């Protein structure tokens, strides 16, 4: 369409809607960085999951194509193609171009409609250079194509291609590189969310195929056991205290509640709560209801079985949740999402419903499985005893030395800038790298904190022991936020906390230790996007008096071939940061003009949790297995 006069009134309305999305994409998908990019895929997949929840679809395939596009295909009923009475246009066109039109077509009970999902596939269309949809329905194959959200000019709006008796929808879209900071899809990011969806929706097969020439791969997720298998998966790397995964579900007032849990020997609990397939990281009424009932049921069981006799008092919620892995999933016809990231369930009626369901079902489960009950309760009693014993020491160390100490650590070379937003903290490993970084930095806005040797493995110790560690205390005071319950993001002294570790196995180990600490005790710092990993170059190539740095082996090979005609003067491998002089370190790794920083986010708490416990947890078998499998890439372990 080339002239305004050709637009109908309805068409103009549509364009205004899509234009609003294009002008303020972040309002609809959260951000235009890699996270927002991946949300496009989740949005389309959510529509297919809805089809599955309605009982019409059991296979979903996500394909990353070689031309930068992604295809999402399902075997559902297919998007309707007949003429929509109100808009006088094909229904598929309405769904693709009218904000929130998807939901108006049907009254499926568990519509995913919160957080950043559920904005409608029209938002994906608005943010795509092109979008193609192929529908099998009503005995034929239908195609439609959109250009920056607008129905493509041409013959009929929906073209009937050939007869076909099957049904399904295939949506392929090319994200608009004028809108997104990056249009590179990451298989591992998609994989964790798709795996999670497969756990949450048992019986649905979700496949991920990476068709890009360099990285062909295929994963297929299907879990008949649902969240039972999710908990077993999360605990694969842990020492479990009972073989069965506790599972029950209940439905009250159209609200479906499911719980799966299993106790482990570790100290770190991990409870993942979902509402309508959305990971409610900020918690909410379903989580509160679960915790309240759990505390009550376990205390009741312990009391009536005489298990609290040598404990002065009752079990606290924290005692019971120590080392407990649990997944709570509810499906609600009208979920309300609140909180900063819209990942907190707000429906007040849910609290009592979940509490009631857990109270009744868990009590029954424990009565019927006394060995499991014994394992869970004994673990909680042990935790309560440890808590009491540690209390004094904890108060001492915690209050005095860590959080109330106001003076900055002596090892910190602070920057002059006082505005946290413009300040950067580089955490370096060992004294030699720290020395280079101190000399190479721009002291105006870059601070350096050297960390000596291996910091304490925080996965294995309780807070009181962790706080006895000097390096950890320095870290906490330098960052300024406090930790755990006392954490306050407003007190962060830097909005960039950069891990500057060697590109070798030791460096990866230190980085993982630090990230474990942030993940466990400063989660909001990761959520705020304040944590980064510096990426020092791996190789330096000299040729005709010039030097070239390469971040990867592939880049080294490219430079050697293309720049040096296959005949470089010297190829040097940087083993440690200490090998670089201060100027080199500044130029390659610290200078904001040249450097590459990798932002570390909690894209998927469950996946990160698993990674940390494989590397750090009690079970030795899985760690050996992991290291064996990843030995070649051990130099750079991505979280
Ligand atoms: C509107 C109505 C119906 C299905 C769908 C939309 C639908 C949308 C998507 C998006 C991806 N896959 C999809 N599959 C179906 C119901 C149509 C009917 O009643 O037959």
């Amino acid at each position: 369409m080339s002239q305004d006069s050709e637009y109908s009134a309805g068409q103009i309305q549509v364009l205004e809607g899509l234009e609003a999305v294009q002008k303020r994409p972040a309002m609809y998908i959260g951000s235009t960085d890699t996270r927002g990019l991946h949300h496009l895929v989740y949005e389309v997949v959510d529509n297919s999951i809805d089809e599955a929840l309605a009982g019409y679809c059991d296979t979903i395939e996500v394909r990353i194509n070689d031309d930068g596009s992604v295809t999402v295909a399902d075997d559902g009923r297919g998007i309707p193609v007949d003429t929509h009475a109100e808009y006088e246009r094909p229904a598929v066109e309405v769904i693709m171009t009218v904000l929130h039109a998807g939901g108006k077509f049907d009254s499926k009970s568990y519509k995913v409609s919160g957080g950043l999902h559920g904005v409608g596939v029209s938002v994906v269309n608005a943010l795509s250079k092109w979008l193609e949809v192929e529908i099998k329905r009503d005995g034929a194959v239908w195609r439609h194509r959109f250009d920056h959200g607008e129905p493509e000019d041409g013959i009929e709006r929906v073209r009937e291609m050939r007869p076909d008796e099957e049904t399904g929808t295939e949506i392929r879209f090319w994200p608009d590189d004028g809108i997104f900071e990056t249009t590179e899809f990451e298989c591992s990011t998609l994989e964790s969310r798709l795996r999670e969806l497969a756990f949450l929706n048992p019986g649905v097969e979700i496949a991920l195929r990476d068709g890009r020439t360099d990285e062909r791969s295929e994963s297929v997720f299907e879990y008949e056991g649902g969240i039972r298998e999710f908990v077993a998966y999360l605990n694969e790397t842990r020492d479990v205290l009972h073989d069965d995964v506790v599972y029950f579900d209940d439905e009250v007032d159209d609200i479906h509640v499911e719980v799966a849990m299993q106790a482990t020997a570790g100290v770190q609990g991990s409870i993942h709560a979902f509402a309508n397939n959305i990971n409610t990281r900020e918690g909410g009424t379903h989580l509160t209801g679960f915790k309240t009932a759990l505390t009550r049921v376990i205390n009741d069981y312990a009391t009536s079985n005489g298990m609290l006799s040598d404990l002065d008092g009752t079990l606290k919620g924290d005692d019971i949740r120590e080392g407990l892995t649990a997944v709570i999933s509810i499906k609600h016809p009208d979920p309300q999402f609140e909180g900063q990231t819209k990942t907190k369930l707000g429906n007040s009626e849910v609290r009592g419903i979940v509490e009631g369901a857990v109270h009744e079902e868990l009590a029954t489960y424990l009565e019927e499985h006394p060995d499991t009950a014994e394992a869970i309760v004994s673990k909680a009693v042990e935790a309560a005893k440890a808590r009491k014993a540690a209390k004094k020491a904890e108060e001492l160390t915690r209050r005095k030395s860590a959080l109330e100490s106001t003076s900055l650590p002596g090892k910190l070379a602070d920057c002059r800038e006082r505005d946290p937003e413009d300040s950067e903290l580089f955490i370096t490993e060992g004294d030699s790298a720290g020395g280079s970084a101190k000399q190479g930095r721009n002291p105006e806005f870059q601070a350096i904190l050297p960390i000596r040797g291996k910091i304490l493995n925080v996965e294995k110790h309780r807070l009181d022991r962790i706080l006895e560690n000097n390096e950890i205390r320095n870290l906490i005071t330098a960052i300024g936020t406090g930790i755990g319950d006392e954490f306050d993001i407003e007190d962060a002294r830097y909005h960039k906390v950069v891990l500057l570790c060697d590109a070798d196995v030791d460096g990866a180990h230190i980085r993982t230790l630090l990230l474990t600490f942030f993940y466990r005790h400063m989660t909001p710092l990761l959520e705020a996007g304040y944590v980064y990993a510096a990426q020092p170059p791996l190789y330096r190539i000299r040729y005709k008096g010039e030097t070239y740095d390469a971040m990867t082996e592939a880049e080294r090979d490219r430079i050697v071939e293309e720049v040096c005609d296959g005949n470089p003067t010297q190829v040097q491998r940087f083993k440690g940061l200490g090998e670089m002089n201060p100027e080199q370190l500044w130029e390659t790794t610290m200078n904001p003009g040249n450097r590459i920083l990798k932002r570390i986010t909690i894209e998927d708490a469950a996946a990160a949790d698993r990674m940390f416990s494989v590397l750090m947890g009690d079970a030795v078998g899985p760690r050996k297995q992991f290291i064996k499998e990843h030995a070649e890439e051990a130099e750079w372990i991505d979280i």
Side-chain angles (χ1 to χ4, degrees):
M1 265 172 251
S2 51
Q3 288 182 342
D4 280 358
S5 56
E6 290 178 37
Y7 290 101
S8 69
Q11 188 77 8
I12 287 169
Q13 230 178 350
V14 163
L15 293 180
E16 280 172 356
L18 294 186
E19 234 171 66
V21 179
Q22 288 157 349
K23 265 200 192 127
R24 292 206 174 73
M27 288 231 330
Y28 297 85
I29 54 159
S31 64
T32 53
D33 57 11
T34 174
R35 193 185 281 235
L37 178 77
H38 289 84
H39 265 117
L40 298 182
V41 182
Y42 306 150
E43 186 55 49
V44 182
V45 171
D46 279 348
N47 284 277
S48 301
I49 292 278
D50 279 353
E51 239 351 63
L53 286 176
Y56 297 103
C57 154
D58 53 24
T59 314
I60 300 170
E61 185 189 6
V62 177
R63 286 194 300 270
I64 311 177
N65 304 309
D66 210 15
D67 61 357
S69 67
V70 165
T71 304
V72 178
D74 69 50
D75 61 352
R77 287 169 292 180
I79 305 180
V81 289
D82 50 350
T83 304
H84 187 277
E86 186 188 336
Y87 288 86
E88 295 177 342
R89 294 192 292 137
V92 54
E93 202 173 289
V94 176
I95 287 180
M96 287 297 170
T97 56
V98 179
L99 295 184
H100 295 108
K104 292 185 195 150
F105 279 78
D106 43 17
S107 51
K108 282 177 256 167
S109 46
Y110 298 130
K111 191 103 189 76
V112 176
S113 65
L116 292 168
H117 309 293
V119 287
V121 66
S122 58
V123 168
V124 178
N125 186 27
L127 301 177
S128 295
K129 277 190 295 197
W130 305 291
L131 183 145
E132 285 175 1
V133 52
E134 183 173 295
I135 295 159
K136 290 182 193 152
R137 198 187 154 97
D138 305 336
V141 180
W142 312 78
R143 274 206 194 136
H144 204 356
R145 195 177 145 91
F146 302 82
D147 183 333
H148 293 89
E150 293 188 46
E152 197 169 71
D153 227 344
I155 18 172
E156 309 101 304
R157 283 185 155 139
V158 176
R159 284 191 287 160
E160 185 169 349
M161 306 302 290
R162 58 177 184 274
D164 198 311
E165 283 313 312
E166 302 198 337
T167 65
T169 303
E170 194 170 304
I171 294 172
R172 178 173 185 179
F173 65 95
W174 288 254
D176 190 338
D177 53 13
I179 290 176
F180 289 95
E181 288 161 32
T182 166
T183 53
E184 185 93 14
F185 287 100
E186 290 216 23
C187 223
S188 59
T189 305
L190 293 174
E191 201 172 277
S192 8
R193 174 61 182 160
L194 296 179
R195 182 189 288 112
E196 188 173 278
L197 281 171
F199 280 128
L200 294 167
N201 302 283
V204 184
E205 179 193 295
I206 306 179
L208 173 63
R209 301 203 162 85
D210 193 343
R212 290 174 295 193
T213 15
D214 291 348
E215 32 210 318
R216 286 186 195 286
S217 69
E218 170 181 276
S219 331
V220 181
F221 306 113
E222 184 180 10
Y223 304 104
E224 285 300 335
I227 62 170
R228 260 185 234 98
E229 284 193 62
F230 199 170
V231 167
Y233 169 82
L234 292 168
N235 278 349
E236 250 172 41
T237 59
R238 303 187 161 119
D239 286 342
V240 297
L241 298 176
H242 50 98
D243 289 333
D244 56 328
V245 173
V246 177
Y247 173 85
F248 49 86
D249 72 335
D250 200 359
E251 183 157 337
V252 181
D253 296 344
D254 279 343
I255 299 166
H256 186 220
V257 181
E258 272 187 293
V259 173
M261 56 189 239
Q262 191 178 33
T264 75
V267 294
Q268 208 68 53
S270 75
I271 302 182
H272 307 274
F274 297 86
N276 290 22
N277 293 328
I278 287 165
N279 190 342
T280 38
R281 292 182 209 285
E282 296 172 280
T285 49
H286 53 339
L287 184 61
T288 319
F290 168 73
K291 286 183 178 172
T292 309
L294 178 71
T295 307
R296 229 173 82 201
V297 172
I298 300 295
N299 266 300
D300 288 353
Y301 187 95
T303 310
S304 55
N305 288 278
M307 295 174 76
L308 297 183
S309 49
D310 54 345
L311 187 79
D312 179 23
T314 54
L315 302 166
K316 291 246 161 69
D318 282 343
D319 302 329
I320 296 163
R321 295 191 298 271
E322 185 177 292
L324 185 74
T325 304
V327 172
I328 303 144
S329 170
I330 74 146
K331 303 239 166 77
H332 194 295
D334 182 26
Q336 303 297 319
F337 292 95
E338 304 171 346
Q340 274 203 319
T341 54
K342 290 267 180 277
T343 57
K344 181 175 183 184
L345 187 71
N347 306 61
S348 57
E349 77 284 5
V350 168
R351 186 191 156 131
I353 288 174
V354 173
E355 197 178 318
V358 174
H359 191 255
E360 198 174 315
E361 301 288 336
L362 180 59
T364 309
Y365 191 97
L366 296 180
E367 292 304 334
E368 288 171 0
H369 301 80
D371 291 349
T372 300
E374 158 90 21
I376 296 174
V377 179
S378 308
K379 166 78 204 239
V381 171
E382 188 198 310
K385 286 182 184 163
R387 165 174 55 88
K388 296 198 169 185
K391 203 174 171 196
K392 269 184 196 155
E394 197 171 305
E395 271 170 7
L396 254 170
T397 10
R398 186 173 182 175
R399 302 271 162 241
K400 259 200 196 144
S401 40
L403 303 176
E404 287 181 4
S405 105
T406 43
S407 60
L408 290 168
K411 288 169 116 200
L412 174 73
D414 211 0
C415 54
R416 284 194 280 275
E417 178 60 59
R418 281 289 156 257
D419 183 352
E421 208 168 312
D422 298 324
S423 306
E424 304 179 346
L425 173 67
F426 283 80
I427 301 170
T428 62
E429 158 203 2
D431 286 338
S432 68
S436 285
K438 276 183 195 173
Q439 290 172 50
R441 69 174 172 151
N442 181 339
E444 197 51 48
F445 64 95
Q446 293 181 322
I448 311 291
L449 179 70
I451 296 263
R452 189 193 293 272
K454 302 275 157 75
I455 64 166
L456 197 71
N457 180 349
V458 293
E459 171 100 11
K460 285 190 180 153
H461 299 283
R462 293 196 174 81
L463 201 56
D464 54 325
R465 280 292 312 286
I466 292 169
L467 292 176
E468 282 170 19
N469 183 283
N470 257 324
E471 307 301 305
I472 296 263
R473 284 216 306 273
N474 286 344
L475 198 59
I476 298 168
T477 20
I479 294 175
T481 53
I483 57 171
D485 293 344
E486 280 147 60
F487 184 95
D488 188 351
I489 193 83
E490 296 297 322
D491 291 337
R493 301 181 61 250
Y494 314 90
H495 285 190
K496 284 201 175 71
V497 175
V498 187
L499 312 185
L500 182 54
C501 301
D502 280 342
D504 61 6
V505 180
D506 278 347
H509 189 189
I510 297 252
R511 181 169 43 238
T512 312
L513 282 165
L514 285 166
L515 288 179
T516 309
F517 175 72
F518 289 137
Y519 178 68
R520 298 293 184 197
H521 302 290
M522 293 191 172
T523 324
L525 197 72
L526 288 164
E527 283 167 349
Y530 289 178
V531 184
Y532 297 80
Q535 302 210 57
L538 277 180
Y539 298 96
R540 166 151 294 182
I541 300 112
R542 288 181 209 282
Y543 181 62
K544 293 194 174 160
E546 300 280 340
T547 58
Y548 306 87
D549 293 318
M551 308 298 293
T552 61
E553 273 176 36
E555 199 180 342
R556 174 200 64 191
D557 295 345
R558 191 187 59 76
I559 293 170
V560 166
E561 281 316 310
E562 292 177 15
V563 183
C564 319
D565 283 330
N567 195 19
T569 318
Q570 189 196 26
V571 178
Q572 175 193 2
R573 184 184 152 87
F574 290 118
K575 291 210 193 66
L577 296 163
E579 285 180 22
M580 274 189 255
N581 64 37
E583 291 73 36
Q584 286 174 331
L585 193 60
W586 162 256
E587 265 320 308
T588 59
T589 313
M590 299 177 77
N591 177 356
N594 289 347
R595 71 185 180 194
I596 300 177
L597 292 185
K598 185 180 168 76
R599 178 182 268 166
I600 296 167
T601 58
I602 310 186
E603 197 45 59
D604 180 330
D609 190 58
R610 188 177 150 81
M611 166 73 83
F612 282 122
S613 50
V614 176
L615 290 171
M616 304 297 169
D618 295 315
V620 177
R623 176 161 52 243
K624 284 207 173 133
Q625 180 66 24
F626 179 90
I627 291 172
K628 226 163 95 188
E629 280 170 16
H630 294 79
E632 273 148 44
E633 58 199 81
E635 290 178 338
W636 180 253
I637 294 169
D638 270 325
I639 304 293

